[in-house]
Amino acid sequence: MNTNKVYVNNKGVGREKALSEVEKMSDYLNLPRKNRLHLRLLAEEMLGMAAEIGNDFDADFWAESEGNTCRLYLDAEINKMSYEKRESLINVSTNKKNAAVTGIMGKLKEIMELYWVGYIDTASDTNGLDFLRNAGKSETVMSSAYTGEGWKLSTYRNTIEGRKDTDRYEEWDELEKSIVANIADDISVGIKGGSAEFIITKSFK
């Protein structure tokens, strides 16, 4: 099943309609109460992330299901913001970094925003990655968690598990405290065609 696509923006337009489409999917799949709550929570967190993106952010939201697997999509046409404009946004912070980048969803919001403004052109492009590494105080957030398709939660989780340094404990603690990271089976952020795409995957047994 594919739900209807709903226009959403960072001012809250379309939020309730988007959540209504998620409820329709839950009805279609006949999900039990706990699973319905999990799917709605993931949708709420995704839309909440979009609401925190700076400037005028416009996107399409929809959900798809295949068997017992559901995917929530947020697709925004890339807005080629100038390098100077993006730098001016970064420089608003007194330490020339985005001090608001905290938590898994905060970091994913920043990745999505950099894709959207065209600051990172492709999944392999390193432009802007140093900024995010510094802001997130984590090498693995931006480097090791990248695949050819973009950033993936599963890759990030596996990278932390395989590390031996002491910093991994802080990152793992952050991951463990993330409701979304614990509920979702995977999260990916990347570029598809001319769009920045955010996908949350959840499978129900």
Side-chain angles (χ1 to χ4, degrees):
M1 174 193 177
N2 292 0
T3 68
N4 294 317
K5 289 187 177 181
V6 178
Y7 165 78
V8 297
N9 65 20
N10 58 344
K11 297 178 176 62
V13 172
R15 181 181 185 278
E16 292 306 317
K17 188 175 181 181
L19 293 176
S20 177
E21 291 296 319
V22 172
E23 293 294 338
K24 290 178 183 178
M25 172 163 283
S26 294
D27 290 339
Y28 175 81
L29 297 174
N30 196 27
L31 294 178
R33 183 175 182 274
K34 181 179 179 180
N35 291 349
R36 294 175 69 100
L37 290 174
H38 281 176
L39 192 61
R40 182 181 174 93
L41 176 60
L42 292 173
E44 288 176 345
E45 289 291 329
M46 175 181 271
L47 295 169
M49 179 212 69
E52 295 178 2
I53 290 179
N55 303 293
D56 293 325
F57 180 80
D58 305 282
D60 287 325
F61 171 92
W62 74 95
E64 297 180 3
S65 65
E66 183 177 354
N68 295 324
T69 299
C70 296
R71 291 183 178 85
L72 304 177
Y73 291 84
L74 192 66
D75 186 277
E77 184 177 351
I78 294 173
N79 176 10
K80 291 291 185 180
M81 182 181 289
S82 69
Y83 179 85
E84 291 76 15
K85 177 63 175 177
R86 178 60 194 174
E87 285 296 297
S88 71
L89 293 178
I90 296 173
N91 288 335
V92 168
S93 174
T94 57
N95 64 353
K96 303 298 185 283
K97 298 173 185 176
N98 189 343
V101 181
T102 58
I104 295 298
M105 292 305 289
K107 291 170 183 175
L108 292 182
K109 184 272 292 184
E110 191 69 12
I111 297 169
M112 181 69 177
E113 184 175 25
L114 288 180
Y115 273 131
W116 173 65
V117 300
Y119 199 74
I120 303 176
D121 295 319
T122 66
S124 61
D125 193 348
T126 59
N127 187 23
L129 300 191
D130 287 337
F131 158 68
L132 281 177
R133 279 197 288 267
N134 291 331
K137 298 180 180 179
S138 170
E139 290 290 326
T140 61
V141 171
M142 294 306 301
S143 55
S144 299
Y146 263 86
T147 69
E149 299 176 348
W151 191 97
K152 293 183 74 68
L153 175 65
S154 55
T155 305
Y156 178 49
R157 184 183 286 122
N158 291 336
T159 299
I160 295 177
E161 288 180 337
R163 284 168 54 196
K164 304 297 183 182
D165 57 283
T166 55
D167 289 342
R168 70 180 289 271
Y169 297 109
E170 181 180 347
E171 294 169 28
W172 187 259
D173 184 58
E174 180 183 69
L175 195 60
E176 287 291 294
K177 290 178 179 178
S178 170
I179 295 175
V180 174
N182 279 285
I183 293 177
D185 289 298
D186 207 355
I187 299 173
S188 63
V189 188
I191 292 177
K192 184 177 181 180
S195 298
E197 193 172 63
F198 188 104
I199 306 171
I200 296 179
T201 302
K202 175 65 178 175
S203 295
F204 299 105
K205 296 181 180 179

